[in-house]
Amino acid sequence: MYALTVNGQHVESDENRRLIDFLRDDLRLTSVKNGCGEGACGTCMVLIDGRASKACVWQLKDLGGKNIITVEGLNSREKEVYPYAFASAGAVQCGFCIPGMVISAKGLIDSVPDPVPEQVRDAIKNNICRCTGYKKIEEAILLAAKMFRGNIPVPDCRFTGALGESMPRIDAAAKVLGIAEYAADKHIEGMLYGSALRTAYPRAVIKSIDTSEAKALPGVVGVFTAADLPGKQKTGHIVKDWDVLIPAGKCTHYIGDALALLAAETHEILEKAKKLIKVEYEVLKPLTCPAESLAEGAPLVHANGNIVSREHLIRGDAEAVTAKSRHVVTNHYSLPFTEHAFLEPETAVALIEDGDVVRINSGDQGVYQTLKECSEALGLPHNKVRVTAETVGGGFGGKVDMSVQHHAAILAYLTKRPVKFSLSRAESLRVHPKRHAMEIDMTTACDENGNLTAMKAVIISDAGAYASVSAPVLQRVCIHAAGPYNIRI
Ligand code: FES
Ligand code: FES
């Protein structure tokens, strides 16, 4: 038996668990966000005996008799001041990091009522924010400290919505207080946990998938392969090239490819079951860059070839103007893949409602696209699928594709139970496409006064394994390649 105090209440657990899981899953204190689960991001910050600490790195066995405070446990004055200070400083965007920031702020202000900016920066040095940046958060914390010190009342803010009026975000208070609901915060009675077994190799022919042992594990409700899919085998926004599951006999395209879907009563059973699936691979050498995939005789990534799209944007005669320009600079630029690094890993919760409608609650970037692609993956008409956009903990373009939505929907449809399907941070990094890596040869010319006269860029963009939105991205790259400059032609 493990006993501790959480927000003033004595609580107990029969089993030793991670503090974050105990707080979120057992006590439903969902202000404690799980951004990484491994001590890197600070979204799970709680006060332990007054000190800010990450709930994902603590086990209940090490916390006997400790006093834990989460944002839900703030007093009523704090529940007014922190939302006001963060909202009026413009310190809340996606909000996923903010409850953790508030806890770090409280840890500081409780012991240092009049902090200087350096102390605020030090207090939040273990909290990552991907969208707001730290300056406004620092200002919010300094404002909160000032209001507590001076016992300053929270102003009664009323807004008319008039043009030019400075208004805080309407969702700021809910995000600060941890009551804005992100998909992973949803809990439905009887809910299963879903996950996918992913390939061990980026390029391999799947010879066979044996799910029998996983299916036999008590607590496992379903294990499904491509042969069980109710709808289309492939998905994709523009090009339908992305396998919902890689079928036996076919080849994987990247390390995020899913081979089987599982649903189980608990996280722990789910992870155990994944290890019981046996996959036989014929491992092949992967193509890791455009140079390899464009080489003579390169294996085909997809049946229709290795080029997703070509764009030509021509205005004037760049070569002729360059030839008579006073100065010419030619450079090669290599841009790496860029991870979007949103703080909220992908989650969708799906269930059956009204007898035969699949409801998907998802924190992605477009409900209509999710509806369309999930309908196809389920083999259902659009009126049998409903999608609700939950609060999004950052996306930046990295949540436009199907990652968890279709898998959650398929599991709910096949098991007839609600299913929460969340990616761990490691899976999230592995699964969603990155901002494109590019190789760019660029020549820029100017006259004797430095006025730009011509520019020519040859750009090879690395789409990775699947088309996703590569074609429109390439269009925009071409449009913006010359920058915001006035080129005299
Ligand atoms: S530090 Fe705990 S979830 Fe990231
Ligand atoms: S507001 Fe900080 S991560 Fe989005």
Side-chain angles (χ1 to χ4, degrees):
M1 177 73 72
Y2 304 94
L4 55 161
T5 302
V6 176
N7 296 336
Q9 304 286 316
H10 177 81
V11 292
E12 295 176 350
S13 170
D14 288 337
E15 28 163 354
N16 179 33
R17 311 190 61 200
R18 285 193 315 167
L19 178 61
I20 188 171
D21 299 328
F22 179 65
L23 294 174
R24 283 184 59 82
D25 299 342
D26 294 18
L27 304 185
R28 308 254 191 279
L29 296 171
T30 51
S31 73
V32 184
K33 305 295 181 200
N34 188 347
C36 70
E38 51 190 36
C41 72
T43 58
C44 63
M45 208 64 91
V46 296
L47 291 182
I48 302 178
D49 285 351
R51 286 176 63 94
S53 194
K54 295 162 182 168
C56 65
V57 301
W58 286 94
Q59 302 274 324
L60 293 186
K61 70 179 171 56
D62 301 317
L63 294 169
K66 298 280 188 197
N67 189 10
I68 314 292
I69 301 284
T70 71
V71 165
E72 289 86 347
L74 299 181
N75 64 38
S76 55
R77 167 83 172 141
E78 289 168 327
K79 283 184 178 175
E80 286 182 2
V81 169
Y82 282 117
Y84 171 77
F86 274 73
S88 59
V92 184
Q93 289 197 35
C94 86
F96 200 76
C97 70
I98 298 298
M101 292 284 183
V102 169
I103 287 293
S104 292
K106 176 174 165 58
L108 171 68
I109 295 170
D110 283 356
S111 57
V112 184
D114 191 3
V116 295
E118 289 71 27
Q119 287 170 306
V120 173
R121 277 175 230 147
D122 187 59
I124 59 170
K125 67 175 185 280
N126 292 317
N127 296 77
I128 295 176
C129 176
R130 168 66 174 87
C131 22
T132 302
Y134 300 95
K135 186 74 190 137
K136 290 178 178 181
I137 292 173
E138 181 187 315
E139 287 166 11
I141 296 170
L142 290 169
L143 174 58
K146 183 176 165 195
M147 293 177 75
F148 289 128
R149 267 194 329 272
N151 206 18
I152 298 169
V154 172
D156 181 15
C157 302
R158 286 165 205 256
F159 302 96
T160 63
L163 200 62
E165 188 178 27
S166 177
M167 293 169 63
R169 296 177 64 106
I170 55 166
D171 55 2
K175 287 175 171 173
V176 173
L177 296 176
I179 51 180
E181 197 174 51
Y182 298 82
D185 298 336
K186 289 195 104 56
H187 179 84
I188 300 169
E189 231 22 72
M191 184 175 80
L192 299 172
Y193 296 89
S195 187
L197 176 76
R198 307 214 178 250
T199 177
Y201 304 97
R203 185 161 170 261
V205 175
I206 305 302
K207 308 292 280 182
S208 64
I209 306 172
D210 180 355
T211 59
S212 52
E213 273 187 55
K215 278 180 175 158
L217 185 71
V220 170
V221 178
V223 184
F224 307 101
T225 62
D228 305 305
L229 291 176
K232 292 197 172 154
Q233 164 63 32
K234 294 202 185 247
T235 189
H237 269 22
I238 300 164
V239 183
K240 304 283 173 198
D241 62 352
W242 202 330
D243 290 271
V244 174
L245 290 173
I246 302 282
K250 297 289 183 187
C251 190
T252 61
H253 297 111
Y254 84 132
I255 53 165
D257 274 329
L259 309 183
L261 296 176
L262 306 90
E265 301 286 355
T266 67
H267 282 299
E268 292 73 16
I269 296 170
L270 193 61
E271 291 308 313
K272 235 185 237 173
K274 279 159 78 171
K275 295 194 179 88
L276 295 176
I277 299 178
K278 295 192 180 72
V279 182
E280 209 188 328
Y281 297 94
E282 180 191 334
V283 181
L284 303 171
K285 189 168 177 291
L287 298 168
T288 58
C289 63
E292 287 177 13
S293 56
L294 294 173
E296 181 97 15
L300 291 182
V301 178
H302 294 284
N304 57 353
N306 292 356
I307 297 176
V308 180
S309 73
R310 293 172 191 270
E311 289 293 333
H312 292 278
L313 188 67
I314 298 169
R315 190 168 173 223
D317 187 343
E319 283 183 8
V321 177
T322 300
K324 56 183 187 193
S325 293
R326 180 74 179 82
H327 303 287
V328 177
V329 176
T330 299
N331 270 323
H332 181 83
Y333 302 91
S334 294
L335 307 182
F337 279 113
T338 306
E339 159 62 28
H340 309 82
F342 39 77
L343 278 212
E344 178 210 21
E346 298 89 332
T347 293
V349 178
L351 63 149
I352 308 294
E353 62 186 16
D354 296 342
D356 61 353
V357 175
V358 181
R359 153 86 58 191
I360 304 156
N361 300 283
S362 170
D364 62 55
Q365 291 183 226
V367 285
Y368 296 107
Q369 196 63 31
T370 300
L371 174 69
K372 184 169 173 284
E373 292 185 53
C374 287
S375 297
E376 290 167 359
L378 290 163
L380 293 174
H382 287 193
N383 66 350
K384 294 294 174 192
V385 180
R386 291 178 194 145
V387 181
T388 304
E390 301 297 336
T391 310
V392 182
F396 319 112
K399 288 183 180 168
V400 295
D401 296 286
M402 292 308 101
S403 56
V404 289
Q405 309 92 313
H406 57 332
H407 287 162
I410 290 166
L411 283 173
Y413 181 75
L414 294 175
T415 62
K416 307 289 177 234
R417 300 256 309 262
V419 176
K420 181 188 282 186
F421 198 113
S422 295
L423 299 187
S424 66
R425 174 58 60 181
E427 281 179 303
S428 170
L429 291 171
R430 199 169 153 166
V431 169
H432 65 256
K434 310 296 176 238
R435 194 178 70 188
H436 299 67
M438 292 183 196
E439 296 297 326
I440 304 174
D441 287 304
M442 186 175 280
T443 295
T444 309
C446 69
D447 64 19
E448 57 282 359
N449 297 316
N451 296 311
L452 297 177
T453 51
M455 200 276 276
K456 180 179 177 185
V458 177
I459 302 166
I460 299 197
S461 172
D462 189 346
Y466 295 108
S468 180
V469 288
S470 295
V473 167
L474 185 61
Q475 278 174 356
R476 281 160 182 71
V477 169
C478 292
I479 291 165
H480 295 295
Y485 305 109
N486 181 19
I487 297 184
R488 298 181 175 187
I489 56 172

